[in-house]
């Protein structure tokens, strides 16, 4: 009987070795949310436009990945962490311009 060895297509060990921000990037790059984003952006129309829909969505996903139990802790993390803001799509805060 022949034994054929195969490489694993997915390894939890490799995922666990990633930093939280790399894990978030992996999720944001692979989640099939384009159709949802287009629909939400079209529905926004003339509503408040303080922050982009995609950045807000990405930040909600970041809250899950980074294990924030409350929106307030996520907001504090976004304020103090420029790398997280950039990954989520908040490249420039309007308040930073003022």
């Amino acid at each position: 009987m022949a034994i054929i060895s195969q490489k694993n297509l997915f390894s939890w060990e490799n995922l666990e070795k990633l930093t939280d921000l790399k894990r978030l990037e992996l999720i944001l790059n692979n989640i099939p949310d384009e159709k949802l984003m287009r629909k939400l952006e079209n529905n926004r129309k003339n509503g408040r436009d303080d922050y982009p829909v995609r950045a807000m969505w990405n930040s909600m996903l970041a809250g899950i990945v980074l294990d924030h139990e409350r929106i307030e802790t996520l907001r504090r993390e976004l304020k103090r962490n420029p790398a997280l803001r950039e990954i989520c799509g908040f490249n420039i805060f309007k308040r930073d311009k003022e």
Side-chain angles (χ1 to χ4, degrees):
M1 175 166 104
I3 298 175
I4 301 172
S5 63
Q6 295 180 350
K7 286 190 172 187
N8 290 334
L9 292 175
F10 181 78
S11 170
W12 283 108
E13 293 166 359
N14 292 340
L15 186 61
E16 289 173 351
K17 290 178 186 176
L18 295 175
T19 65
D20 288 341
L21 292 180
K22 288 292 184 189
R23 207 171 15 245
L24 175 60
E25 281 183 313
L26 183 66
I27 289 168
L28 294 179
N29 290 334
N30 289 291
I31 192 164
D33 60 358
E34 191 60 35
K35 189 175 178 181
L36 173 64
M37 291 299 99
R38 285 188 188 144
K39 188 159 189 121
L40 290 174
E41 288 165 351
N42 287 336
N43 285 343
R44 175 178 255 180
K45 295 184 184 175
N46 296 327
R48 275 186 73 166
D49 196 15
D50 294 347
Y51 302 107
V53 170
R54 185 172 302 275
M56 295 299 291
W57 170 251
N58 289 346
S59 70
M60 292 296 103
L61 294 175
I64 294 166
V65 172
L66 301 175
D67 203 26
H68 286 278
E69 292 182 11
R70 297 176 28 167
I71 296 295
E72 259 324 295
T73 60
L74 174 61
R75 289 183 69 207
R76 280 195 297 271
E77 178 73 13
L78 283 163
K79 280 185 176 183
R80 72 161 202 86
N81 189 337
L84 178 60
R85 285 195 307 265
E86 186 173 336
I87 290 169
C88 289
F90 296 110
N91 296 331
I92 300 173
F93 274 109
K94 290 183 180 183
R95 292 181 189 158
D96 290 345
K97 289 181 175 181
E98 296 174 355

